[in-house]
Each structure stands twice: as C-alpha cells, then as structure tokens.
C-alpha cells in the first residue's frame, strides 16, 4: 500500500512539476468562461443566460477536450517508461506489474480529476461572482458536471493505459490515442445520427440506448444533456435522448464500468508485455 | 557455499530468434565475473533471465537459491542491485527525488537514499533536476540506486559506457570495495580493454552461448596463443641464436635495434633465458595475450570450429 502511494505520489509530482495539470486547469477554466459568457450570443445577448444553457455548453466543451487531455496524459504511461529504460529497472525491483500500473493510474487519475475540478470550479467561481449562483441548483449542477467530467476523463485515461500497455513505440501509442479520440468523440456520433436518420425511426429504443452507452463519450453526453437543467437547451443527440430511459445512476455506472473494463484490459496487456 | 546466481543450460527464444542457446553462468559471494561479448551476444538477455524478467525455454535459473520468475522471486530481487544499460530516469525530478522514490519502491528509508548520493559523489547536485546532469552523473545515480538495500548481488550492464577515465576508475574502485564486503558482481561489457584487472573470472559469450569461461590465466592456457616478447638493444646481427626459430617462435625485425617475437607459452622461459644471455640485448618486454586477443580467438574458433576447419 505504501509502495502504491509512493508511485501515485511520484506521478502527481511529475504532472505538477511539468505544469501539465496547471495548463490544463487554466485552459479549461478560460474556455469554460468564454463558452458560458458568449454561448448565448446566438440568441442576441452576451452574459450568463441560464443554468441549463451553461451546463449544456460546458458539457459540450468537456466532451471534446477532456478525453483528448486524458489520452495525452496516459498514452506514455507504460511505453514512455519502456523507452526511457526505467520500465526494465522498475520491473527488476521487488514489485509486481499490477502494483506498478495501479499506482501510476491512481496518480494520473487524481491529477486529471484535480485539473478538471480546478478548471471547471474556477469557472464556476467567476460566474458566481457575477451573480449567477443565485440560480436555483447552481452549485449542485456544477458539482455534477465536475464529477461526471472526472469520470469521463478516467474512462479515457484507462483507454490510454490499455493502448500504452501493449504499444511497442511511443509514436504508435500516440497515433492510436488520437485515432481513438477521433473515433469515439467525433465519428461515432456522426455515424450514429446518420444511421438513425437513414433508418427513419425504425430503430428500437433499446438498441439506440445500447449504442449510446457503448461509447463513454456518449454516456457522458446523455448524462449531462438529459438532465433536468438541460431540458430547455438541447441540440444534436440531446433531442433524441430526451425520452431515453437511461437514469443518471445507470449512466454513472456505465462510465465506471468502462473505466474498470479498459483498465482491466490495460492490466492484461501489461502482464503479457515482454520486457 | 552456494552460488548467488546459477544459470545452467539456459535457452531463450524471441520468436524464431534464439537469443541464448545453452548458457551457463555462476556467481559466488565476493567475486566479480565479467560477462563479455559484443552487442547482441546475449548479455542483457542473461541479466533478464537472472532477474526473472524472462523465463528460459530450457535450463534453470536460481537467484539466491530460488526461481527468480517464481513466487519467491520478488523477495530475492529485493536483495539484488541492477543497473540497466541506457537508463535515463525522470528528467523533471531532482536526483534526490528520483533516488528517494526508488528507495521507497525498494522499501528503504529516505535517509539511505541521501547517504548513497553522498557515497557516489552526487551530494552537491542532488537538488538539481536530473535533466541538467551529465551522462556520467546519471550513470552514478544508476549505481546509487543499484546499491539501495545493501544488495548481495550486483548486476551491472555496461556500467562504464559514457564515463570519463576518472569516473571509470572510481566505479572500479567502488566495485572492488563491494567485492571486499562479500558482494557478488556481474559486470557486462563489450569494452574489453582495461577490464582485466577488475574481474576475477570472465565468461565470454557470443551468439547466445558461452565461448569460453574461466580466469584470465585459464583462458590463456586454453587458447595457447603466443606470448609477444620485444627485445631492444644494440647489435650487428639480431640475437636469434638458440631461440629455436620455427619451433614455436616467430621472429620479426622491427628495425635495427628492436626485435619482436611471438612465442608459444611453453617456450617462453627458454626464449627469455636465451635473450637475457645474448650480448647487446638491453631491455625485454613480455606481453601475454590480452582479453581482446583472447576474445577474437574464441570468437573466431566458433566460426571455424575447434579444429580450424570451416564448418
């Protein structure tokens, strides 16, 4: 347990030292503010419009940015140490492979959650200073957003670990991570929408729901766009998930299950990795 | 006394490539064994076997009496120090942070990391980031981490690569001190020059198998390579009388006052006596075959076959 904490602490320190966490948090906060402020510009005004619109805007930002950030944070996890020569060294130490991977993931997961909390939390504080916090349920809505965004990040961090654990070279891991991001965050939705339109409403609800939760990015979208606060501000898939029978508890479980599954894949590939 | 490391008949294969084909290696307490061979000869693979990072397809490996790839391997690894080739550590952390981190992984107190930084002469740079360090300093940091937990066996993969002559001498001095304390050391190297004085025994590997093993004297006796003798002096006719030229002695005149002889080992003393008694000879220089010559000999034997015939 102390060894696990030591590995996690080292990853945290590394992430803070190279200013990775700081730049992500700052970037997230700035983008969040810009989006919260200018998001309603289309309707002819500038400034905090409504809680629902703000949460939807921020969730749309998070679903693009956070998976990318998580993949970039994690794709080096194993293959980077291998190329540096430290993997061979650490495996010659009296520790097991699962312990090493678990420690690194714990450190990276904490770092990512902290960056998300500081970034979105900072934006919330600035909005609150302008009086937005008077809206009913403001803090609860932001708490849910931060929590679900961290879960989204963890699922993609686990995906990055699964890629890294079996990759031969850093470059290949980076390419795979980018492809995963494009596929899951951008292409998947386009294909899904296209298929729905082509099928002209003949797709059974259960299949549609299954396809939504088959992608952690979509599970996150449904979780945040299907919420009470978002009822009045929908777009894209949001309109379709309106009536979906996917409860927040189920969607949170789906995100956790994706994290566990992908992390399990990472452990499996790491155990088989030749040194 | 039982061996710290015993590898017998080990075979290792990566796909169709046979990295090791029947390798034997034994290391006892207080001895420095040189594992010598060119790049790709199987040295690093042998260390991976010793550490349990690879399992042999055939043969056996015992590290401190247990199977290093088995359930007790982890406990055995805690008593072993390993310096990999080309390790670059964590650039963003300071030397002290790196060594304290590795100490925690080996379940050793942070104070031990600080003491070791002192011992390898890195105390002055300990709080600077490793990124700013020279290759030699990183190598010493590597040695320091290998010494965490007072290991009984040290496995050093190319420890002198990138070190300047002073740092190399310091490294060998440290190894000598550890040997005195009873630590067994495996020193992997493809640089053969200058290593002779620092090893007790050598195992020459090539193409995944042991080409020759033993002390330097044993290898010389086996190779029966000629000893090179140089005579210098003033003479009209070179002092070749009674040397038995042609019978195990080949002579070359280098210039008017220097003579070079390649002498079979058993003729050495007779030739020396004759030269010492010859008029005009002022100085004699005797050079037994070095490790490089021996290595070239055993490597060539593998290609030719022991009878000198092409296989």
């Amino acid at each position: 347990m102390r060894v696990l904490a030591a590995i996690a602490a080292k990853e945290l320190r590394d992430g803070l030292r190279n200013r990775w966490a700081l730049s992500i948090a700052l970037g997230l906060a700035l983008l969040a503010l810009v989006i919260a402020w200018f998001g309603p510009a289309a309707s002819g005004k500038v400034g905090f419009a409504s809680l629902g619109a703000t949460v939807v805007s921020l969730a749309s930002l998070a679903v693009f940015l956070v998976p990318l950030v998580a993949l970039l944070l994690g794709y080096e996890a194993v293959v980077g140490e291998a190329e540096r020569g430290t993997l061979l060294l650490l495996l010659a130490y009296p520790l097991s492979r699962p312990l090493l991977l678990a420690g690194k993931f714990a450190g990276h997961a904490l770092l990512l959650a902290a960056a998300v909390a500081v970034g979105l939390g900072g934006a919330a504080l600035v909005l609150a200073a302008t009086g937005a916090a008077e809206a009913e349920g403001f803090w609860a809505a932001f708490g849910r957003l931060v929590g679900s965004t961290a879960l989204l990040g963890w699922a993609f961090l686990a995906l990055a670990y699964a890629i890294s654990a079996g990759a031969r070279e850093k470059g290949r891991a980076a390419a795979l991570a980018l492809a995963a991001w494009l596929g899951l965050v951008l292409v998947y939705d386009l294909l899904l929408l296209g298929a729905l339109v082509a099928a002209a409403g003949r797709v059974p609800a259960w299949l549609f729901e299954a396809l939504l939760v088959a992608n952690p990015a979509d599970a996150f979208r449904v979780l945040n766009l299907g919420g009470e606060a978002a009822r009045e501000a929908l777009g894209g898939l949001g309109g379709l998930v309106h009536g979906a029978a996917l409860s927040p508890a189920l969607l949170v479980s789906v995100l956790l299950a994706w994290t566990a599954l992908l992390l399990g894949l990472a452990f499996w590939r790491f155990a088989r990795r030749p040194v | 006394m039982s061996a710290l490391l015993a590898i017998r008949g080990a075979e290792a294969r990566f796909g169709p490539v046979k990295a090791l084909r029947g390798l034997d290696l034994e290391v006892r307490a207080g001895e420095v064994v040189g594992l010598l061979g060119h790049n790709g000869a199987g040295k690093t693979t042998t260390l991976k076997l010793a550490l349990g990072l690879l399992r042999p397809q055939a043969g056996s490996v015992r590290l401190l009496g247990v199977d290093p790839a088995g359930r007790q391997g982890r406990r055995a690894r805690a008593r072993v120090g390993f310096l990999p080739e080309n390790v670059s550590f964590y650039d963003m952390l300071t030397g002290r942070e790196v060594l304290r981190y590795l100490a925690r992984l080996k379940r050793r107190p942070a104070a031990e990391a600080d003491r070791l930084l002192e011992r390898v002469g890195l105390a002055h740079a300990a709080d600077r980031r490793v990124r700013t360090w020279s290759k030699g300093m990183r190598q010493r940091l590597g040695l320091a981490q290998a010494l965490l937990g007072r290991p009984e066996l040290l496995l050093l993969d190319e420890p002198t690569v990138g070190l300047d002559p002073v740092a190399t001498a310091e490294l060998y001095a440290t190894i000598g001190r550890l040997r005195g304390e009873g630590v067994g050391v495996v020193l992997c190297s493809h640089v053969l020059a200058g290593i002779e004085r620092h090893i007790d025994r050598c195992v020459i590997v090539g193409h995944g198998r042991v080409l020759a093993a033993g002390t330097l004297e044993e290898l010389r006796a086996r190779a029966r390579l000629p000893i090179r003798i140089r005579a210098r002096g003033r003479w009209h006719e070179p002092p070749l009388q009674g040397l038995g030229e042609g019978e195990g002695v080949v002579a070359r005149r280098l210039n008017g006052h220097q003579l070079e002889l390649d002498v079979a080992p058993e003729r050495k003393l007779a030739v020396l006596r004759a030269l010492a008694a010859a008029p005009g000879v002022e100085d004699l220089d005797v050079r037994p075959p070095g490790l490089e010559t021996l290595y070239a000999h055993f490597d060539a034997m593998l290609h030719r076959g022991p009878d000198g015939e092409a296989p």
Side-chain angles (χ1 to χ4, degrees):
Chain A
M1 206 57 210
R2 281 179 47 207
V3 171
L4 185 108
I7 299 172
K10 184 247 156 204
E11 292 302 335
L12 264 178
R13 189 190 295 239
D14 241 358
L16 295 176
R17 185 69 55 84
N18 63 24
R19 309 231 160 77
W20 184 92
L22 187 69
S23 36
I24 293 306
L26 270 181
L28 203 58
L30 274 175
L31 277 171
L33 280 175
V34 167
I35 283 185
W37 209 252
F38 296 110
S43 54
K45 55 182 176 162
V46 165
F48 182 76
S50 75
L51 185 58
T54 304
V55 166
V56 166
S57 302
L58 292 184
S60 308
L61 167 73
V63 83
F64 282 103
L65 206 58
V66 171
L68 186 63
V69 162
L71 287 164
L72 289 180
L73 177 63
Y75 84 92
E76 274 193 80
V78 174
V79 74
E81 298 248 12
E83 288 193 1
R84 216 181 294 120
T86 40
L87 184 63
L88 180 60
L89 181 70
L90 294 183
L91 292 180
Y93 270 55
L95 36 107
S96 67
R97 290 189 187 205
L99 184 68
L100 178 60
L101 202 67
K104 285 182 73 83
F105 186 82
H108 277 153
L110 275 176
L111 191 69
L112 187 59
V116 164
V118 171
L120 291 179
L125 283 179
V126 173
L127 287 178
T130 68
E134 283 156 28
E136 207 184 309
F138 178 85
W139 292 112
F142 257 95
R144 273 197 303 274
L145 184 65
V146 166
S148 60
T149 305
L151 283 181
L152 171 73
W154 289 351
F156 277 87
L157 186 64
L159 175 61
Y161 267 61
I163 290 170
S164 194
R168 296 274 112 248
E169 297 153 36
K170 222 154 85 173
R172 197 171 295 189
L176 264 176
L178 269 178
W181 180 74
L182 277 173
L184 289 174
V185 173
L186 299 175
V187 178
Y188 190 91
D189 269 14
L190 279 178
L191 290 182
L192 191 55
L193 270 176
L196 281 180
V197 171
R202 287 195 304 273
V203 175
W206 65 264
L207 178 61
F208 177 57
E209 285 164 14
L211 286 171
L212 279 180
V213 298
N215 178 348
D218 275 334
F220 172 82
R221 276 200 184 96
V222 177
L223 181 60
N224 281 287
L225 306 187
E228 285 297 314
R231 287 276 151 127
E232 74 266 37
L234 293 169
L237 275 180
L240 293 163
V241 301
H242 204 61
L246 297 168
S247 71
L250 178 73
L251 290 164
V252 166
S253 317
V254 163
L255 282 175
L256 283 172
W258 268 116
T259 306
L261 192 74
L262 290 166
L263 201 54
L265 178 64
F267 277 107
W268 186 79
R269 294 188 79 185
F270 189 40
R272 267 147 202 79
R273 184 190 180 91
V275 233
Chain B
M1 220 194 105
S2 74
L4 296 174
L5 173 66
I7 300 180
R8 298 219 166 80
E11 287 187 14
R13 211 170 304 135
F14 299 112
V17 184
K18 270 199 175 175
L20 294 181
R21 24 186 135 195
L23 184 124
D24 298 293
L25 174 69
E26 198 169 285
V27 185
R28 290 166 183 278
E31 86 176 333
V32 180
V33 177
L35 188 60
L36 312 172
H38 55 76
N39 291 322
K43 303 187 299 278
T44 302
T45 306
T46 305
L47 294 190
K48 285 179 184 173
L49 276 183
L51 288 162
L53 301 176
L54 275 181
R55 278 175 202 274
Q57 264 98 28
S60 73
V61 180
R62 306 301 275 178
L63 177 71
L64 301 166
V66 303
D67 172 13
R71 300 189 55 192
Q72 292 175 297
R74 207 186 312 168
R75 214 172 312 150
R77 280 203 294 275
R79 293 154 60 196
V80 175
F82 172 46
L83 171 62
E85 189 186 0
N86 295 327
V87 59
S88 55
F89 297 109
Y90 306 102
D91 278 354
M92 298 306 292
L93 302 183
T94 69
R96 193 186 306 283
E97 284 168 344
V98 168
L99 202 58
R100 282 186 172 181
Y101 170 56
L102 294 173
R104 275 196 289 273
L105 297 193
K106 235 177 174 178
R107 297 166 175 85
R108 307 297 301 177
E112 188 177 321
D114 295 344
R115 267 202 309 280
L116 279 170
L117 282 169
E118 197 97 34
R119 178 167 177 181
V120 300
L122 287 173
H124 65 286
D127 294 312
R128 292 212 318 259
R129 290 192 189 180
V130 175
R131 181 174 26 191
T132 65
W133 285 18
S134 69
K135 169 81 183 152
M137 291 164 79
R138 287 161 194 245
Q139 201 69 355
R140 275 188 277 167
L141 182 61
L143 183 66
Q145 66 77 27
L147 296 179
L148 282 167
R150 296 188 133 266
E152 293 161 54
L153 176 68
L154 264 184
L155 307 174
L156 308 176
D157 200 353
E158 306 281 1
T160 59
V161 167
L163 293 189
D164 59 51
V166 175
T168 306
E170 278 172 11
L171 175 82
Y172 283 131
T174 305
I175 291 174
R177 241 189 340 267
L178 291 164
R179 164 170 54 185
E181 292 166 16
V183 176
V185 182
V186 177
L187 194 62
C188 280
S189 185
H190 72 274
V191 184
L192 305 176
I195 207 175
E196 291 108 323
R197 288 175 295 131
H198 307 288
I199 57 181
D200 298 311
R201 245 171 0 97
C202 55
V203 175
I204 298 180
V205 292
H207 311 277
R209 64 176 63 139
V210 176
L211 302 180
T215 63
L216 216 54
E217 288 70 32
E218 285 167 356
L219 293 187
R220 283 189 187 126
R222 182 119 46 91
R224 301 186 35 77
L225 288 174
I227 291 151
R228 184 155 291 182
I229 299 174
R230 268 189 196 188
R232 197 163 52 79
R234 264 174 279 212
W235 50 62
H236 295 295
E237 280 299 308
L240 290 169
Q241 266 77 43
L243 294 186
E245 205 182 348
E247 300 158 37
V249 177
V250 179
R252 275 185 302 278
R253 226 178 293 188
L254 296 180
N255 50 42
H257 50 95
Q258 279 203 63
L259 189 66
E260 189 176 78
L261 300 148
D262 283 339
V263 181
E266 68 274 8
R267 304 271 304 140
K268 179 173 97 174
L269 271 179
V271 168
L272 281 176
R273 280 200 199 97
L275 280 174
V281 175
E282 288 174 347
D283 194 15
L284 289 176
D285 179 34
V286 182
R287 247 177 258 177
L291 206 45
E292 280 168 283
T293 319
L294 286 167
Y295 177 79
H297 168 76
F298 286 113
D299 191 52
M301 244 175 61
L302 181 84
H303 294 297
R304 278 202 318 263
D307 310 321
E309 302 288 320

